[in-house]
Amino acid sequence: MGTESSEPLLLSSKQAENTFTYINKPSLLLKSTKWVLKFSMWLIFICWASFLFLVPSDSVNQLYTMFVHATSGTLFGITGSIFLIYSGPVFIIGFLAIIYLWICGDQEIQENKKKTASFRLWTFPVIIDGPFGVVTAAELIGILLFAAYIIWAVIAYTIKNINLLPLFEETKISRYLIMLELTGLRFGFIGLICMAFLFLPVARGSVLLRLIDIPFEHATRYHVWLGHLTMLLFTLHGLFYVIAWAIQGHLLQELTAWKNIGIANLPGVISLVAGLLMWVTSLPPVRRINFELFFYTHQLYVVFVVFLAMHVGDFIFSIVAVGIFLFMLDRFLRFFQSRKTVDILSAKCLPSGTVELVISKPEGLQYNALGWVFIQIKELSWLQWHPFSVSSSPLDGKHHLAILIKVLGDWTEKLRTHISSVPGEKDESHGLLHPNLSLKASIEGPYGHESPYHLTYENLILVAGGIGISPFLAILSDILHRIRDSKPCMPRNILIVWAVKNSDELPLLHSLDMNSLCPHFGNILNLEIQTYVTRESEPPLEDGKIPKYASSSVYPAPTGGGMSSLVGTGHILWAGSYMVLSTIGLVVLYALLNIFYINPYNITYWWYKGILFIICMAASVILFGGFVIGLWHIWDVKYGKNMDDENRISGTKHDEPASNKNPSEEDFVNIIKYGQRPNFKEIFGSMAERWGNTDIGVMVCGPTTLQTSIARECRSKNFRRMGNEPIFHFNSHSFDL
């Protein structure tokens, strides 16, 4: 303390602006390296996507066929050639992404120098009402590209099928039946191309998701869209064959056929049935009524994938191998992370029907505000995992994170009942249950954006419905911590619009003691909070005072019961090594399999080679990936423990906020309106006049109807924008998994 240079906690706006702009300017070499990596990844992706799009054309298909035949005599044979063409580019992008993310990892946030607003495709809502929900311009481009590919591929393959009909004239089968089977074959191949993308969005800690900075809860939407499209194509694939076989009178024989050389039909039937069960139970009406049925049925993806490999064989399965392999890597890592039992440091039942859990975590665990975790509590259920937003900033405490849980279903009701029934002394002021609380959890995560995008806007509008205020508490805390500690932070104007049904939810906002956390932050940050209590016409409490509760800010350092640091979104070098070594392991194992088994014994059965390929994928993840996980764990225990010991010696004062404020003072505008709903047209118009020609980050967390309303208002303002008005950038935070 005595050797450190003292800096003022509070800065004037101009001082703060200069401080936050002049930080960690990257060198020319670093900029050049990043540019080369980014250009290389874009070039590889464009070439790969162009190839997939043009494969139905004769010219590209001929070149592809020539390459496959030319390399068929190599060690890996046709399987290696197809794997290199379809899956290789994605692996290369992933390897380059590891280097890129590692280079970017230590850089501080840089302020944007431009003073005028600009459109961004990924934050501009274009379609509001429709089967896809709120769709941004970037998402619409992706949807149109997939639609264009499907239409183009169907037309191109139909023309090819017609040209192939003369080759079957000598057979006794009618041209109509041949056309049915050929069409079914083409739909199957198009479905495989779509399936190549299907598993990429659900690899939660994937390097690819981190590269494009798409959090898992957003990527899940793309998995849902691709799942519907893939299963539609596979269903048409099977249906066309079934119709042709039924007309020919040998439907049962074909369905149960299991060829050794060629396509094995029965494994395909089993795979399709498993896929259809997953598809039907994932439809919104079924998922809303019985989420557990959807969740448990979705575990049939193992049957779906394994029998698909047996159906098509190893070389055709290698078309979709990369997405499945990355998902296997993520799933295996999550398995190890979730094996560790995590201490729940405190549990609190709030009168608003909300539960607050404070969970132990190691100091080195990395995540951003707007992060979220999957939680399993075995005392409540051995199978159920539930996602919850983290309500505390990464800067709130080095050894804990907090989550707020709204009691809505059976699992959350059991949680509240369990906490309330624990015997022991209760602290009425805090609601904490001490010393007999025997509640432990398994955690997967935290997940979220790779970069803290809430810090990249000078002006923020945060719109929350009910418990949707939880992630915004983390944002607000993060910003206040950064202002207090003079860390880079762009936001200067923040408007929070919060709609609740009843006033008993209002204390949630006061769980964050802003003035104690950063005294006189109003000198730098203009904060306004508008709260709307929709189902009450007047304050039910005397003098309209809102009861406050204060979350404790000091928690003990973990003694072994903290969250595991084995998470894909954590240390990029370990996560990258896990991916690279597992991929190398796959190549090595498949090479050894060919050298010592497949080639010497002349193994030719398609279905058998397909299952061998799946076994190699799983073995490489377990053996090579498990080796990296073991080293990662040893490193984490050795060095992470040392860091924790140092913190125990020095105490936990860093977790305590300064408390030198006058309780009657508030450095922000706090307005509560009863019996009203927010008029977003009026609110957005007022902010547009106040803030002028600038970028405004709009973040919404709440029901689908609330997100739709905000997206519609952002689109309306942007379309009607005049030159001196702002651009509203729409960002949603949702867990509709």
Side-chain angles (χ1 to χ4, degrees):
M1 193 71 182
T3 60
E4 295 178 358
S5 60
S6 59
E7 294 182 3
L9 291 178
L10 297 175
L11 305 170
S12 68
S13 298
K14 188 170 183 179
Q15 287 175 318
E17 183 178 349
N18 292 335
T19 301
F20 297 149
T21 304
Y22 185 70
I23 289 183
N24 196 20
K25 189 174 182 180
S27 65
L28 179 61
L29 177 61
L30 190 62
K31 285 184 177 180
S32 302
T33 305
K34 287 177 57 180
W35 185 90
V36 170
L37 288 171
K38 186 179 293 187
F39 175 80
S40 301
M41 288 185 289
W42 269 110
L43 180 62
I44 294 170
F45 174 75
I46 291 173
C47 292
W48 176 66
S50 300
F51 165 76
L52 295 181
F53 194 90
L54 296 174
V55 158
S57 66
D58 290 332
S59 57
V60 173
N61 187 61
Q62 288 175 3
L63 291 174
Y64 161 66
T65 305
M66 288 173 57
F67 174 78
V68 170
H69 285 304
T71 56
S72 60
T74 60
L75 173 62
F76 297 100
I78 296 177
T79 303
S81 303
I82 296 179
F83 182 85
L84 181 64
I85 294 173
Y86 284 94
S87 298
V90 181
F91 280 114
I92 295 173
I93 293 173
F95 298 159
L96 295 177
I98 295 168
I99 303 173
Y100 180 82
L101 291 171
W102 176 61
I103 292 175
C104 297
D106 295 330
Q107 293 185 57
E108 296 284 1
I109 299 166
Q110 300 293 316
E111 277 214 30
N112 197 339
K113 295 287 187 180
K114 65 184 181 62
K115 298 299 182 181
T116 58
S118 61
F119 288 101
R120 302 170 190 171
L121 293 177
W122 56 92
T123 59
F124 190 105
V126 178
I127 299 177
I128 307 301
D129 301 306
F132 298 102
V134 178
V135 178
T136 65
E139 292 170 339
L140 180 60
I141 292 173
I143 292 172
L144 293 177
L145 286 176
F146 266 97
Y149 167 73
I150 300 298
I151 295 171
W152 143 251
V154 169
I155 294 174
Y157 284 133
T158 300
I159 295 173
K160 280 189 175 183
N161 292 342
I162 294 174
N163 293 334
L164 288 174
L165 289 179
L167 300 177
F168 297 91
E169 287 182 351
E170 296 182 0
T171 63
K172 296 181 180 180
I173 305 176
S174 68
R175 295 166 63 94
Y176 171 71
L177 294 178
I178 293 173
M179 193 66 182
L180 279 176
E181 293 194 13
L182 288 176
T183 303
L185 175 66
R186 304 302 189 183
F187 274 123
F189 180 78
I190 299 172
L192 285 174
I193 298 299
C194 293
M195 187 177 169
F197 296 89
L198 179 63
F199 284 85
L200 294 176
V202 286
R204 298 175 190 170
S206 168
V207 170
L208 299 178
L209 290 185
R210 296 179 66 179
L211 175 66
I212 55 181
D213 201 14
I214 295 181
F216 174 67
E217 75 271 17
H218 290 185
T220 303
R221 301 177 68 214
Y222 311 144
H223 172 74
V224 172
W225 299 348
L226 287 166
H228 290 318
L229 178 59
T230 302
M231 286 312 305
L232 175 62
L233 292 168
F234 281 161
T235 302
L236 292 174
H237 163 69
L239 184 62
F240 274 86
Y241 274 107
V242 166
I243 294 173
W245 294 336
I247 293 175
Q248 295 176 64
H250 47 79
L251 175 61
L252 185 60
Q253 297 92 318
E254 291 289 353
L255 289 177
T256 56
W258 195 312
K259 298 178 183 178
N260 292 326
I261 306 298
I263 300 296
N265 292 343
L266 183 57
V269 172
I270 297 173
S271 177
L272 182 59
V273 170
L276 288 174
L277 287 173
M278 288 190 292
W279 190 22
V280 170
T281 55
S282 69
L283 297 175
V286 179
R287 192 170 70 245
R288 280 195 295 265
I289 295 173
N290 195 333
F291 181 83
E292 291 187 13
L293 177 63
F294 152 73
F295 177 79
Y296 297 139
T297 307
H298 235 61
Q299 308 313 306
L300 289 172
Y301 73 85
V302 178
V303 176
F304 175 73
V305 169
V306 170
F307 280 90
L308 175 64
M310 299 171 70
H311 173 56
V312 299
D314 59 332
F315 68 93
I316 298 178
F317 182 77
S318 62
I319 294 175
V320 300
V322 61
I324 296 172
F325 186 72
L326 292 177
F327 174 77
M328 292 170 67
L329 284 172
D330 181 76
R331 189 65 191 88
F332 190 63
L333 185 60
R334 288 193 284 121
F335 171 79
F336 272 94
Q337 189 196 22
S338 62
R339 293 311 93 195
K340 185 173 183 180
T341 302
V342 179
D343 292 333
I344 295 180
L345 301 178
S346 75
K348 182 186 303 182
C349 292
L350 307 179
S352 59
T354 304
V355 173
E356 182 190 57
L357 299 181
V358 179
I359 301 171
S360 174
K361 77 172 183 69
E363 178 185 356
L365 191 66
Q366 301 174 6
Y367 69 99
N368 288 314
L370 288 178
W372 57 280
V373 295
F374 269 95
I375 297 181
Q376 178 206 46
I377 299 178
K378 290 185 173 62
E379 286 86 350
L380 307 182
S381 172
W382 278 79
L383 297 176
Q384 294 186 45
W385 289 82
H386 295 268
F388 298 104
S389 177
V390 177
S391 60
S392 60
S393 161
L395 303 176
D396 272 333
K398 294 183 178 180
H399 301 299
H400 73 273
L401 60 80
I403 58 174
L404 292 173
I405 300 173
K406 185 70 173 179
V407 179
L408 293 174
D410 294 338
W411 188 89
T412 52
E413 184 60 45
K414 288 179 183 178
L415 175 63
R416 180 171 64 176
T417 302
H418 182 89
I419 295 172
S420 302
S421 63
V422 173
E425 181 181 352
K426 295 187 180 181
D427 185 340
E428 297 297 336
S429 63
H430 293 85
L432 300 179
L433 298 174
H434 286 304
N436 299 324
L437 178 64
S438 58
L439 196 61
K440 295 184 179 293
S442 297
I443 305 291
E444 291 182 2
Y447 302 104
H449 282 270
E450 179 69 14
S451 60
Y453 73 96
H454 62 282
L455 300 177
T456 61
Y457 296 102
E458 185 176 352
N459 307 287
L460 285 174
I461 298 179
L462 309 178
V463 183
I467 195 61
I469 195 65
S470 174
F472 298 153
L473 293 177
I475 285 181
L476 202 52
S477 176
D478 196 47
I479 292 172
L480 292 176
H481 271 100
R482 288 177 175 273
I483 292 175
R484 185 190 68 183
D485 300 334
S486 299
K487 292 186 175 182
C489 179
M490 280 188 65
R492 290 294 176 274
N493 305 292
I494 299 179
L495 170 66
I496 298 178
V497 181
W498 185 29
V500 297
K501 295 179 180 178
N502 302 299
S503 58
D504 59 0
E505 297 182 59
L506 296 180
L508 290 177
L509 185 60
H510 297 276
S511 62
L512 179 63
D513 195 344
M514 292 178 278
N515 291 90
S516 293
L517 179 61
C518 182
H520 311 297
F521 65 84
N523 294 351
I524 297 176
L525 180 68
N526 298 315
L527 174 63
E528 180 179 342
I529 301 175
Q530 297 181 11
T531 304
Y532 295 81
V533 184
T534 59
R535 293 188 177 180
E536 296 178 5
S537 57
E538 57 184 14
L541 302 174
E542 183 180 357
D543 298 326
K545 294 181 179 179
I546 306 301
K548 298 182 180 182
Y549 74 88
S551 293
S552 175
S553 59
V554 181
Y555 297 98
T559 57
M563 295 169 59
S564 171
S565 296
L566 302 177
V567 56
T569 53
H571 200 291
I572 184 60
L573 288 182
W574 280 114
S577 301
Y578 175 62
M579 173 187 172
V580 171
L581 196 61
S582 298
T583 305
I584 294 174
L586 173 60
V587 176
V588 171
L589 289 180
Y590 195 68
L592 294 175
L593 185 68
N594 277 276
I595 294 172
F596 294 105
Y597 184 61
I598 292 179
N599 293 337
Y601 292 94
N602 195 27
I603 304 298
T604 57
Y605 292 179
W606 285 23
W607 67 269
Y608 185 48
K609 292 178 71 174
I611 197 66
L612 288 177
F613 192 78
I614 282 281
I615 292 174
C616 281
M617 293 171 63
S620 64
V621 172
I622 295 172
L623 297 178
F624 292 83
F627 174 73
V628 176
I629 289 176
L631 294 179
W632 189 351
H633 176 70
I634 294 172
W635 181 89
D636 182 54
V637 170
K638 182 178 179 180
Y639 294 100
K641 184 177 180 180
N642 291 339
M643 288 188 291
D644 287 341
D645 288 341
E646 291 175 5
N647 281 311
R648 292 192 194 99
I649 294 172
S650 62
T652 56
K653 294 295 184 182
H654 53 269
D655 284 343
E656 296 185 23
S659 56
N660 54 355
K661 72 176 183 74
N662 184 336
S664 63
E665 294 180 357
E666 286 187 334
D667 284 342
F668 61 94
V669 178
N670 188 12
I671 302 172
I672 302 178
K673 300 181 180 181
Y674 291 85
Q676 300 182 37
R677 295 182 181 275
N679 185 334
F680 293 114
K681 183 176 182 180
E682 179 180 318
I683 293 172
F684 278 49
S686 174
M687 293 302 106
E689 293 180 3
R690 185 186 305 179
W691 292 338
N693 183 8
T694 185
D695 293 305
I696 298 178
V698 180
M699 302 178 192
V700 55
C701 183
T704 303
T705 53
L706 179 63
Q707 296 186 40
T708 301
S709 300
I710 299 302
R712 182 178 291 109
E713 194 58 38
C714 288
R715 183 183 65 175
S716 174
K717 293 294 184 185
N718 291 342
F719 276 144
R720 299 176 182 178
R721 174 181 180 265
M722 305 297 289
N724 58 343
E725 294 180 341
I727 293 177
F728 293 88
H729 298 274
F730 176 80
N731 300 274
S732 65
H733 192 64
S734 174
F735 298 107
D736 186 15
L737 304 181

